[in-house]
Amino acid sequence: MDDRIELSEFLKSRRARLRPADVGLRDYGGTRRVAGLRREELARLAGVSIAHYTRLEQGQGDSVSDEILGAVGAALRLDTDELTYLHQVARRPQPCAGAADPSEVPLSFRYLLASFVTTPALVIGRHTQIVGWNQLAVAVFGDFAALPENRRTLSHLLFAEPSVRALHRSGWERAAREHVAHLRVLLGRYRGDAGLAAHIDHMGELSAEFARMWAEHPVARLRSRTYVLHHPVVGELTLHGELITLPDEPSCCGLDLYAAEPGSASEQALKKLDSR
């Protein structure tokens, strides 16, 4: 995971998705040698010299001011998550404190997980490790304890466990893409975390689908989302997911909760699973 290459490829991917008409430039027709905007067109939109922008796209971001990064981000039509990522990846990473041993998840978190009687709940580590869960999460998604510890991650579940793909059915592609986009948010947040970089490299080698999605450079923080799952015991489950960030807890980075609409058939199905 080379930071300069990451910055370069991210900028190229965002420039490639824009057309002159998208940004108010006149297109004189003919064959364009590059997908999307040319470097000189982007530089002009951002109000910077071509040489300055070229150095940035070559991965040389250390000397670039926040103002210039903001101007480039605006010219590229970056959203909030993408602009945050650009600022993070353009800077030299600071030493990243290692995460605590996942086995050290605080006892209070375990009590909290157990208290969610109709809500599947997971504690997620920096590398998408599943470091804690309640019994209803097991009933919905499978037995996490039965998985080898080095494969007990959301990434492995989505890209290497056929049962989880079957659970999502036609919604798998969206769920997988959301996950990859969130991994890039983590990469920006935990710059210099060798374990996270190694996890991403490993997933790219393990799954061609992961590698394809990663190469598209999606960047998006996980927000409220809805999954329609097809459970082998209770049938269709509509669950609303929320990832609650835990920035001050060294052993994990999020609490992932899945709730059904009160009074719905999905809530009744979760109660049935909880009683098994």
Side-chain angles (χ1 to χ4, degrees), residues 28-173:
Y28 294 96
T31 302
R32 295 174 68 87
R33 292 185 300 168
V34 296
L37 295 181
R38 300 183 179 97
R39 281 180 176 175
E40 57 268 26
E41 291 171 330
L42 194 285
R44 186 164 69 251
L45 282 171
V48 302
S49 71
I50 296 175
H52 209 144
Y53 177 74
T54 298
R55 286 195 297 272
L56 181 62
E57 199 172 277
Q58 289 173 342
Q60 302 175 44
D62 286 343
S63 61
V64 177
S65 68
D66 287 343
E67 289 75 18
I68 288 180
L69 287 177
V72 169
L76 288 170
R77 305 296 195 264
L78 301 186
D79 63 24
T80 301
D81 291 339
E82 292 171 328
L83 183 59
T84 297
Y85 184 72
L86 173 61
H87 279 268
Q88 290 169 332
V89 79
R91 301 303 183 210
R92 189 180 302 278
Q94 299 299 312
C96 184
D101 185 335
S103 65
E104 298 175 4
V105 172
L107 188 62
S108 59
F109 277 30
R110 301 175 199 170
Y111 292 157
L112 183 63
L113 287 173
S115 73
F116 292 116
V117 293
T118 59
T119 302
L122 306 170
V123 178
I124 307 299
R126 286 186 185 180
H127 313 154
T128 79
Q129 315 100 303
I130 301 167
V131 298
W133 56 85
N134 63 4
Q135 286 305 305
L136 193 51
V138 171
V140 172
F141 297 107
D143 187 359
F144 306 114
L147 297 171
E149 189 170 345
N150 64 348
R151 295 176 66 89
R152 196 182 299 153
T153 76
L154 293 178
S155 301
H156 284 92
L157 285 183
L158 280 165
F159 289 94
E161 289 295 326
S163 62
V164 173
R165 185 186 287 250
L167 197 63
H168 284 276
R169 289 192 186 173
S170 62
W172 177 86
E173 179 85 14

Side-chain angles (χ1 to χ4, degrees), residues 159 175-185 210 213-214 218:
F159 289 94
R177 190 173 298 278
E178 287 175 346
H179 177 75
V180 172
H182 180 66
L183 264 179
R184 231 184 201 96
V185 171
F210 180 94
M213 293 181 188
W214 185 259

Side-chain angles (χ1 to χ4, degrees), residues 232-249:
V233 174
V234 295
E236 186 174 291
L237 277 172
T238 299
L239 299 181
H240 305 275
E242 293 286 349
L243 179 63
I244 301 171
T245 302
L246 304 168
D248 298 324
E249 175 50 53

